[in-house]
Amino acid sequence: MSAMPAVRCTGLSRRFGDTLAVDNLDLEIVQGEIFGLLGPNGAGKTTTIRMITTLLPPPRGTIEVFGADVAARRMAVRRLIGYVPQQLSVEATLTGRENVWLFAKLYDVPRLTRVRRVNEVLAGVGLAEVADRLAKTYSGGMIRRLELAQALVSTPRLLVLDEPTVGLDPVARDDVWERIEQIRADSGMTVLVTTHLMQEADERCDRVALMHRGRIQALGTPAQLRGNLGDGATLDDVFRAYTGDELADTGSIRDVRSARRTARRLS
Ligand SMILES: Nc1ncnc2c1ncn2[C@@H]1O[C@H](COP(=O)(O)OP(=O)(O)O)[C@@H](O)[C@H]1O
Ligand SMILES: [Mg+2]
């Protein structure tokens, strides 16, 4: 890997009270890849992402995004990133178009090209036809695609998605993933995505990191990780091998509650 990585984290840590949410994490994301950060509720995925996107200052360790140090060049880094948070960010009482327009202004998309750019991203996520309907009339899958359009309107080099398919049915989930893959193919954008669904990561990610209790337990292509375990192994099996049989029951009430709230609002 000689080219500059899209993201480089070294010795990253973050504590909340007694919980070490992120524990001395090293991570490199290659330009142009779809990188999956996997793990159960409470693993530390969102905390990691919030530090990379500059929303949380890292108390220990360093982060570079396309070579720019997050602590020293926070605004420059923000301009490089499009972010779809785990909690919904769409304003229900605005239309789809107005929601994207808001982000276009927020991110200083130049006035002259703003209208065109908003139309472009709405078409890119398949919402051109319904752009003037209120967001509250959208299905869960449409809302996630609208959030994707918001994140993309500033033409970021790194797209960061936190559990983009939580609460969606399999058809809507595939649809969101196909948009992400199309965008990556068209623009060469780097994608960092978190999920707790091993199977979708297996199908969609170039490389994955298995995160548990703030640490990366394994990292590689899905095939490499499965291969380590032998014939017929799934990523779920790999995860269990690294974490014991804890996949189903880790995470605090708080984590589960927050995941459920998002799911409810999308369904
Ligand atoms: N703002 C916060 N205050 C207190 N604890 C938090 C906060 N954010 C995260 N945590 C805790 O840090 C750990 C990691 O959380 P998080 O990064 O949200 O995990 P994930 O996204 O993998 O579900 C969990 O134990 C969670 O309860
Ligand atoms: Mg999370």
Side-chain angles (χ1 to χ4, degrees), residues 79-80 109 117 120-121 151-158 187 189:
R79 284 201 193 92
L80 295 170
V109 175
R117 184 67 195 143
E120 251 168 34
V121 287
L152 290 169
V153 75
S154 56
T155 326
R157 290 178 70 187
L158 172 67
S187 64
M189 194 177 291

Side-chain angles (χ1 to χ4, degrees), residues 126-188:
L127 292 176
E129 312 274 273
V130 296
D132 294 306
R133 274 169 45 188
L134 294 182
K136 67 179 168 203
T137 69
Y138 285 11
S139 70
M142 288 159 80
I143 288 179
R144 277 310 196 200
R145 284 189 276 129
L146 179 57
E147 292 179 316
L148 201 51
Q150 289 179 319
L152 290 169
V153 75
S154 56
T155 326
R157 290 178 70 187
L158 172 67
L159 177 64
V160 180
L161 306 140
D162 199 356
E163 306 259 4
T165 59
V166 91
L168 299 184
D169 65 58
V171 175
R173 218 183 284 156
D174 282 347
D175 194 31
V176 166
W177 272 111
E178 270 149 35
R179 302 288 167 183
I180 294 169
E181 287 175 350
Q182 190 59 51
I183 290 154
R184 198 269 301 257
D186 291 347
S187 64

